[in-house]
Amino acid sequence: MSDIETGLFSIDELENVQITIGKIVGAIEKKAKEEGVEVGPTPKPGISGLRDWDFTLLSRYQPVYTPVCDQCCYCTFGKCDLGGNKEGACGINMEAHQARETLLRVITGAAAHAGHGRHILHHLIGLYGKDKPIDVGPSNLVAPNTQAVTGIKPETLGDLEEVMDYVEEQLTQLLATIHAGQEGAAIDFESKILHGGMLDHVGMEVSDLAQISCLGMPKSDPEAPLVEIGMGCIDSSKPVLLVIGHNVAGVTNIMDYIHEHDLGDKMELAGLCCTAIDMTRYQTDQGQLPQAKVIGTLAKELKMIRSGVPDVIVVDEQCVRADVLDEAKKLSIPVITTNEKIMYGLRNRSKDSAADIIEDLSSFKEPGALILDFDVLGEVAPELAIKMSKIRDEMGINALPSEEELQELSEKCVQCGACEMDCPTNLPIMAAMKAGIDKDFSKFENLHDKCIACGRCDQACPKDIPVLNMIEKASQKLIREEKGLMRAGRGQISDPEIREEGVNLVLGTTPGIIAMVGCSNYPNGTKDLYLVADEMLKRNYIVVMSGCSAMDLGMYKNEDGETLYEKYPAKFLAGNLINVGSCVSNSHITGTAIKVAAIFAQRQVSGNYEEIADYITNRIGAVGVAWGAYSQKAASIASGCNRLGIPVVVGPHGSKYRRALIGKPYQKEDWKVYDARDGSEMPIPASPEFLLTTAESIEELLPMLAKNCIRPSDNNMGRMIKLTHYMELSQKYLGHMPEDWYKFVRMETDLPLAKREELLKILEKDHGWEIDWKRKKILSGPAMKSDVSAQPTNVKRLCKGEC
Amino acid sequence: MSDIETGLFSIDELENVQITIGKIVGAIEKKAKEEGVEVGPTPKPGISGLRDWDFTLLSRYQPVYTPVCDQCCYCTFGKCDLGGNKEGACGINMEAHQARETLLRVITGAAAHAGHGRHILHHLIGLYGKDKPIDVGPSNLVAPNTQAVTGIKPETLGDLEEVMDYVEEQLTQLLATIHAGQEGAAIDFESKILHGGMLDHVGMEVSDLAQISCLGMPKSDPEAPLVEIGMGCIDSSKPVLLVIGHNVAGVTNIMDYIHEHDLGDKMELAGLCCTAIDMTRYQTDQGQLPQAKVIGTLAKELKMIRSGVPDVIVVDEQCVRADVLDEAKKLSIPVITTNEKIMYGLRNRSKDSAADIIEDLSSFKEPGALILDFDVLGEVAPELAIKMSKIRDEMGINALPSEEELQELSEKCVQCGACEMDCPTNLPIMAAMKAGIDKDFSKFENLHDKCIACGRCDQACPKDIPVLNMIEKASQKLIREEKGLMRAGRGQISDPEIREEGVNLVLGTTPGIIAMVGCSNYPNGTKDLYLVADEMLKRNYIVVMSGCSAMDLGMYKNEDGETLYEKYPAKFLAGNLINVGSCVSNSHITGTAIKVAAIFAQRQVSGNYEEIADYITNRIGAVGVAWGAYSQKAASIASGCNRLGIPVVVGPHGSKYRRALIGKPYQKEDWKVYDARDGSEMPIPASPEFLLTTAESIEELLPMLAKNCIRPSDNNMGRMIKLTHYMELSQKYLGHMPEDWYKFVRMETDLPLAKREELLKILEKDHGWEIDWKRKKILSGPAMKSDVSAQPTNVKRLCKGEC
Amino acid sequence: MVDTTKNTQIYTTWGRNVAKPVNPNVAGKIISKAKRPLLVVGSEILNGDHLLVEKTIAIAKKGIPVAATGHSITALIDKDIEAKYINVHSLGHFLGDKKWGGLDGQGPYDTILFLGHKKYYLDQVLSGLKNFTDLKTVAIERHFIQNATLSFGNLKQEVHLEALDEFIENL
Amino acid sequence: MVDTTKNTQIYTTWGRNVAKPVNPNVAGKIISKAKRPLLVVGSEILNGDHLLVEKTIAIAKKGIPVAATGHSITALIDKDIEAKYINVHSLGHFLGDKKWGGLDGQGPYDTILFLGHKKYYLDQVLSGLKNFTDLKTVAIERHFIQNATLSFGNLKQEVHLEALDEFIENL
Ligand code: SF4
Ligand code: SF4
Ligand code: SF4
Ligand code: SF4
Ligand code: SF4
Ligand code: SF4
Ligand code: SF4
Ligand code: SF4
């Protein structure tokens, strides 16, 4: 046996093959030590690795189960009725099963990201090699999630493979526990959920690090360009190539082809969902202009297809409607699938020539093709679009009903109500039909923004009325005006930015970070996003967007015709509006929190997840909002935030995630932490009150956001600012002073200066606090002290004198 | 950069660390070449890698969907009603969703095995190192599934890690496709199901290879010892330590402790489910006697616990009832969880001393403990059992109702029918209650074998009558007599055995292999297994058992008091009865088929899955039976068989797997293959008729088995034998000659000699065939010719003259 | 007259579409009006009251062809009725195929009658027919078969036999 | 008298336990008999007919304390009724806690009345109460709320208002 050192080697006779020796027991620690980094207690934790931390969180934030179904249909002992928390045939009760269901959805989401990550990593290593350095901007801590979780500090693409191995191994372990006859306790499923969520952020991070490094995407760039967005920005007189999905791997070949063949002006390249975002990030790190347009989110898919505008549709993976091929076929639009996750039963043409494929599809011999060879794809997609454009023009494809038809269809309606009952949001379709009889189509138009274009109304109608097409037709004017701007995803927050802003966040003088993610399933249309973001930005919160929310936000303009992306700068500073990027860029949001702990507070990050999470829990006033949370991915993203102690509010549809994590502010013993200086217990404010919950309307949401940014570490200035916003937002949107405001007051300087006297009076009168009126000081009353040098922690071992 | 060769190396400063360089692009091929093995076209196939093969199978065997639910509740757009094949809000229709649901269940099963495999591999590498050679008996092809799928020929434990990496990566990809908005076509979900099933067999194989190699389990040993089985074989006067689950890793430490401390005679060590099987395999490869007893399957769990007999329960993973802790607590039985997949919310005591844990549990301070350190576990479990035995004796634990109580409880019953409606098999409980009033408890006794002890009746009863306890109490006599013998799992079929028997199988002179797997969910009790196995063994089929079916089979004795394991030898020869081992040993069943192709037929095996599967499809008359199929694992095992063309019949509860794969014998064009000699098409008999289907009763099942062992490659002798059994079994169990028998006749010598004349007459009279009565030859009539040198294949490229 | 529509209790649901409870006379008339009915008989006729077999034969004698699933054929051989063995899962598959010639080559069926099946198994097979075909399915079992188009409710054994008599009268 | 029990159509099922349809007078009596009722009002009262707000206040005036969820509180302030803002999901959590003192510190509630909620959202919240508490829940919404203990059926807007009047009369 020969001896070698850890490092890079090449191997005889296998040219261009390199191997990095690192994946061996002890190697992580060794490598880390060489770099002067210590590895914490839990590199690559297994399912039980962070269970104690989870139990700490879960003892304060209890799972609240709201089943989507009273039954379990996992195995053939069932289906079992678990109603009333009964046990099924395997002995599992409703509670544990709901936790299991939630786990299943969370790991499904995590797998979607991890599967994406593995795919694009494999693809990019194929193109750039394992030694391709990771370069995502001016940061040393390039992979905060990865490093905190696995202890690995990745430097090259190759390093990321080991990270993916870990994620996949753990996801398989978690999926195994879904099997009948595995875990029996709800609380342990809950811990597994948090584990799954944590893994999700690692998987997402790997995806984005890889693509940013290789595809010329903005690298922590606050000046990332503005991108056209909206159905209205498409010039339908040109050939239109529409891309749908999340994984930009193959699309880059299309973009290269268009660029190399100078087709950019001759056609429209448009995207739906996160692929769209990543298309606009592609090759823009040197100030180049984005080469594609964004249509919008999942909720625009059916509308866009049914408009008949696309000449070719390319789909990759995730959030792609299952009926794309069927719908496209009806309008003579060829569909190309490009990823093993979605193949639609189409014939694999990967080894055929571009010419043959174009011939077959343009002659409608087959409705589409599977092309896994991206060079072939790169040529076929744009050339086919150009060809189809002419063919389809000549065919005179008529997509939407005419005005007359609109009226006739309205008349056909028998007001049976099936459509409204089946509409996920129970939109008032019948009234629109009624008005339509009199050629008043404004009620259809009103539905446009609220309608997620799911098509369920069409499926339900006994009269076969194409309800969705009617809404779309009636909204043509609105749609034409649907032109906005979105800032292209900038990537992660850089280390220098953290150094600058960290202190403000921890002390609360920047009132908080509001991260808005998720998509489509808004209770009341997309405009609410705009209203929330604007309100919080005006109040100096940092608003971070990603994925579909980032798109929806770009769709709205204020009175001056400005989008929020134009109105607010995009640095990591109070009052700034940041788009980190696509779905997988969500990892940069948690990454930011980790960075604050690691860089600003200098906590050890590698393999030290618990301490980092504890730090974030007690000091970083961040709240996630997934207002339109529809997917399993949103559930896993939220769970990953939760394990770091970051609370998330979802819209009312999010109640269908089956479980929330909500604390009981009235239960005093739940709101205590240790002071790390001496291990003594200290009371803390009941904020965040929850780790995951729903809100009913944005009016309810806004004060919730402000309140739940409050943290034990706030200094007086910080607390005062946060409290002011909480009180003001309550008054503005709920019409009253919140009942519990006084619970957050530790001393008079926590009170807003302008109202201090008034508030002191209330404290004295309504709450019996003793006030020294001469010095305007509170003498007694508060449940807790203000002590900026206290070191709040939930983890006993982190206290002085402990292990 | 320094140059090194593929091989084993150790690394400076890291003692005892070795690294095998093999996991690099091209390395599989290179290593294989050095060994003179060629690697086929699909080493480590991705999701699309074997899609063409899948489509070939699926064009003959169409998915038949029988939804367990008309709704989809995956995401918050839903829940969606897909009734009538409607589309949900994401555009997916019922068909595609059912295929997706099936995929989810299949990968859940595959993950259970893979998760188990990874765990035990990790554990064993920790103990024995990566260089520990794989040794599973006198075979060169030690890992047929692994090698056929991945192209890797594993030689050491370390080699298996790369295999697991592949399996986990692919499972993550498949799980990703479950996400809303991924695959849209049922047919592609079907291909993914087959992919998942294939991966399952690799995961299982890894598990069993690792444990056989390290734990002294029988190595392809037909003389594996006989093991006591049944609730009746436990001496309850001794301390009883009960182990439940599938993963023997930690249990071996318990067994070592018992052995080293000479406690074997002083206590009973008993197991439930597959852990039980593996306990009896542990250290028996040198002729040692098994050191544990087997209670039985999942269906005995609640019965065994409620008997009050166990003094301590240790659980590991899989098929463990979720209410073990609750049920045990009621009877003062401490529970120890030992695996991250099942932790029951118990406190982690892994770092505590054995004495402390024993003290806390025996004083009921806590109802149980999580112990992940197997050395601690090894001491705690037996010592605690000894201590608890005395304590529980003194407490006078009373588990089951008395005779008088039995009557009183019967009287309490109001004959509401809730229990019967909720019983998975709708057992006649009310009649038993009625009779019980008159102290006739025989009807309860009759329920014992059919009852799977699921406890749903108890949950349902508005009068809180403990129905299951009543059944158990009434069956005490039966239970005491429940003592049988099972042959300990022998491991895989060795290469020499294949060489001996392969030709008989392929030519059909050994009529077929009947593999009986799965458990618990029998439509009519466990005895049916015995009847089926005995019938087929008498007819010279090779019967292969595994897992819980292997256990259930050992429970029954014939008139002479003999179990089938005693009656029939255990070689891989016609008329032999083989128990391959536990759940994960199921991989040896598919492995056997692969070995026939590789060893007997000398087909290239490495990375050459399609050709191997094609060979098996057309030539190996094997049928799987999962008569009591309950779990997702059974679904994935079946799907893995299916991708190899091996058909599987499940019991009626298996209809809840949601989809079958059934061919249409009446559709002639579906029953054709190529003759590889010249690529010409040739008709084949419609057998197997299905890849996955259900049967209603064993009377229906038996002729199905015989018929579906027929293969195109049968020679005349073989066809005659198979046909004889088909006709005889139809006559014996269905009371008539099967309608389609003549369709399998190619020439007169296919007909059983004794009945030849009679049958020729029928062929002439009823089917209009021309007979030369002088020579007793068929002149015309058959739909196909008999040509032993024909080379049936479904794969065009394997024909002469094709690429 | 027996009322078979009263007790339609279920243990679990498949969804919002549930069988319409039907009385024996109505069920009988529906079958007699059917163009091409098929009676699917399961092996449970062998496990219940022996009268069940008689009733089954009586129905078949009214000229309704029989698909005998499981091993029910053993009770139907040589009874001068048109009965053929077929696996019920295969049958479910073929019934959805407009190109299937039926058991006798005379073409597809339109109304399918079920008797003598395991409740959970039949509900599964019917779940396929309900969702993917437009066949009318009628269950005249002792249990409420929720995935049929029409079904008797949950009945006591003796009431069931009575109901079958009434059903037969109305054929 | 309005019949609010007729149309109980649903789009999807949760399982076999479904709300009992109830008429306004019966619902009214149940609430008036309750020891410790709570009216939970959602923000949809602000989106429907303005009369909804009036009816809500009328109910509260009968002495039933109000939990105002979402931003419904904006319509209930200074109306001389006992109304407090609370998040409905939190409320669902607290209602299941026997140790919770209620909005007013007077201890737990026994009968919960719902008005003014999004259908899908309320059904989810009630799914938790249905499965994990023994509270009686009564939905007097325009839609059939299947996870309540008792619920009005699906009603036209004008019928709903009428039904509420009748309900109030019976308090
Ligand atoms: S869990 Fe979902 S699929 Fe299962 S029964 Fe309930 S609604 Fe149907
Ligand atoms: S997993 Fe348990 S609760 Fe679910 S269907 Fe199977 S036995 Fe019933
Ligand atoms: S397409 Fe729009 S209107 Fe129709 S059901 Fe879906 S959301 Fe409602
Ligand atoms: S389902 Fe169709 S007919 Fe009924 S109300 Fe809606 S649009 Fe009108
Ligand atoms: S995955 Fe599709 S069918 Fe299922 S709930 Fe979501 S939108 Fe509905
Ligand atoms: S425990 Fe036995 S009798 Fe009771 S419901 Fe389960 S299988 Fe039926
Ligand atoms: S549920 Fe209970 S009371 Fe009803 S029939 Fe069964 S044992 Fe008797
Ligand atoms: S055969 Fe089935 S129940 Fe038995 S141990 Fe295996 S999967 Fe579990």
Side-chain angles (χ1 to χ4, degrees), chain A residues 236-248:
Chain A
S236 59
S237 68
K238 292 186 186 170
V240 177
L241 174 56
L242 177 67
V243 177
I244 313 179
H246 275 68
N247 185 331
V248 81

Side-chain angles (χ1 to χ4, degrees), chain A residues 373-685:
Chain A
D373 180 312
F374 294 158
D375 289 330
V376 178
L377 171 69
E379 179 178 351
V380 169
E383 295 292 356
L384 183 63
I386 291 168
K387 191 162 181 193
M388 288 309 300
S389 170
K390 249 188 91 191
I391 295 176
R392 295 180 68 253
D393 263 0
E394 281 162 12
M395 291 169 71
I397 303 289
N398 234 338
L400 297 175
S402 67
E403 289 251 333
E404 296 88 80
E405 283 167 329
L406 220 50
Q407 190 214 7
E408 282 163 29
L409 287 167
S410 300
E411 276 170 357
K412 249 178 90 179
C413 167
V414 294
Q415 298 281 317
C416 71
C419 51
E420 288 192 12
M421 174 161 320
D422 290 15
C423 174
T425 322
N426 307 118
L427 293 177
I429 297 165
M430 287 194 288
M433 291 284 171
K434 240 183 202 156
I437 299 177
D438 304 325
K439 293 204 171 181
D440 168 7
F441 306 126
S442 62
K443 289 198 173 167
F444 281 112
E445 208 179 350
N446 290 342
L447 297 178
H448 172 65
D449 182 44
K450 302 186 184 182
C451 165
I452 56 169
C454 72
R456 250 162 50 174
C457 45
D458 289 14
Q459 296 282 323
C461 180
K463 295 281 158 194
D464 287 328
I465 299 175
V467 182
L468 175 60
N469 283 3
M470 293 175 72
I471 296 174
E472 191 176 359
K473 173 64 190 176
S475 314
Q476 287 302 76
K477 207 173 127 262
L478 278 183
I479 290 174
R480 270 194 301 276
E481 284 163 10
E482 227 166 66
K483 297 182 201 180
L485 286 172
M486 174 191 75
R487 192 171 298 283
R490 56 159 279 166
Q492 65 175 211
I493 310 305
S494 67
D495 295 3
E497 289 175 287
I498 299 289
R499 270 182 216 107
E500 196 178 336
E501 182 68 5
V503 62
N504 299 322
L505 274 168
V506 170
L507 296 181
T509 46
T510 291
I513 302 174
I514 306 298
M516 301 182 74
V517 306
C519 65
S520 303
N521 227 1
Y522 308 107
N524 201 31
T526 56
K527 194 174 182 184
D528 279 352
L529 266 196
Y530 172 94
L531 297 171
V532 172
D534 197 31
E535 180 71 65
M536 299 313 278
L537 283 163
K538 279 193 264 181
R539 292 174 182 277
N540 251 339
Y541 288 77
I542 302 175
V543 174
V544 183
M545 312 295 301
S546 73
C548 290
S549 286
M551 296 191 229
D552 279 333
L553 190 67
M555 224 80 102
Y556 287 90
K557 298 172 191 155
N558 61 15
E559 317 73 50
D560 308 327
E562 248 186 355
T563 64
L564 293 183
Y565 289 111
E566 294 159 275
K567 189 167 161 197
Y568 297 98
K571 301 214 169 99
F572 187 64
L573 287 175
N576 276 234
L577 172 62
I578 290 169
N579 174 17
V580 281
S582 59
C583 228
V584 291
S585 308
N586 276 306
S587 55
H588 305 321
I589 301 178
T590 42
T592 301
I594 295 171
K595 282 188 167 200
V596 172
I599 295 169
F600 164 70
Q602 308 245 337
R603 298 293 174 116
Q604 174 191 338
V605 62
S606 299
N608 196 26
Y609 191 92
E610 184 181 51
E611 183 174 348
I612 296 287
D614 180 57
Y615 182 91
I616 295 169
T617 304
N618 285 299
R619 315 208 191 203
I620 302 183
V623 181
V625 180
W627 196 235
Y630 108 85
S631 77
Q632 296 104 319
K633 286 182 288 181
S636 65
I637 293 168
S639 302
C641 291
N642 289 171
R643 203 180 216 183
L644 286 172
I646 301 173
V648 176
V649 192
V650 294
H653 280 289
S655 57
K656 293 182 237 163
Y657 282 139
R658 302 173 174 83
R659 87 95 168 74
L661 293 172
I662 303 179
K664 294 173 175 165
Y666 58 85
Q667 206 154 280
K668 288 226 174 66
E669 60 276 23
D670 290 350
W671 305 96
K672 281 183 185 154
V673 294
Y674 304 109
D675 186 336
R677 292 173 302 182
D678 57 6
S680 64
E681 275 194 341
M682 57 188 250
I684 56 161

Side-chain angles (χ1 to χ4, degrees), chain B residues 455-583:
Chain B
R456 252 165 46 176
C457 45
D458 290 15
Q459 297 282 322
C461 181
K463 295 282 158 192
D464 286 329
I465 299 174
V467 183
L468 175 58
N469 284 2
M470 292 175 73
I471 296 173
E472 192 176 357
K473 173 65 189 177
S475 316
Q476 286 303 68
K477 206 174 128 259
L478 278 184
I479 291 174
R480 270 195 300 277
E481 284 162 10
E482 227 167 64
K483 297 183 199 180
L485 286 172
M486 175 191 73
R487 192 172 301 282
R490 56 159 279 167
Q492 64 174 211
I493 310 304
S494 67
D495 295 4
E497 289 176 286
I498 299 287
R499 267 179 220 111
E500 198 179 334
E501 183 67 6
V503 60
N504 299 321
L505 276 168
V506 170
L507 296 181
T509 46
T510 292
I513 301 175
I514 306 299
M516 302 182 74
V517 306
C519 64
S520 301
N521 227 1
Y522 308 107
N524 198 31
T526 57
K527 196 175 181 184
D528 280 351
L529 267 195
Y530 171 94
L531 296 172
V532 172
D534 196 31
E535 180 71 65
M536 299 313 278
L537 282 163
K538 279 193 264 181
R539 292 174 182 277
N540 253 337
Y541 288 77
I542 301 175
V543 174
V544 184
M545 313 294 303
S546 74
C548 289
S549 287
M551 296 191 229
D552 280 332
L553 189 67
M555 223 80 101
Y556 287 90
K557 297 172 192 154
N558 62 16
E559 316 73 52
D560 309 328
E562 248 186 355
T563 63
L564 294 184
Y565 289 111
E566 295 160 275
K567 190 169 159 196
Y568 296 98
K571 302 213 168 97
F572 186 65
L573 286 174
N576 276 232
L577 172 62
I578 290 169
N579 174 17
V580 281
S582 59
C583 231

Side-chain angles (χ1 to χ4, degrees), chain D residues 135-156:
Chain D
L135 296 170
K136 183 174 279 180
T137 57
V138 184
I140 51 172
E141 302 278 2
R142 255 194 66 195
H143 301 285
F144 182 56
I145 303 295
Q146 62 209 88
N147 285 333
T149 316
L150 301 162
S151 172
F152 286 178
N154 301 302
L155 307 172
K156 296 230 158 92

Side-chain angles (χ1 to χ4, degrees), chain A residues 71 79-81 422, chain C residues 11-14 16:
Chain A
Q71 311 177 129
K79 156 186 341 178
C80 295
D81 174 28
D422 290 15
Chain C
Y11 173 54
T12 49
T13 63
W14 265 257
R16 68 169 164 178

Side-chain angles (χ1 to χ4, degrees), chain C residues 33-50:
Chain C
K33 273 193 221 136
K35 286 217 188 81
R36 178 95 163 120
L38 177 70
L39 168 63
V40 185
V41 178
S43 349
E44 294 297 304
I45 55 159
L46 306 170
N47 297 333
D49 193 299
H50 72 282

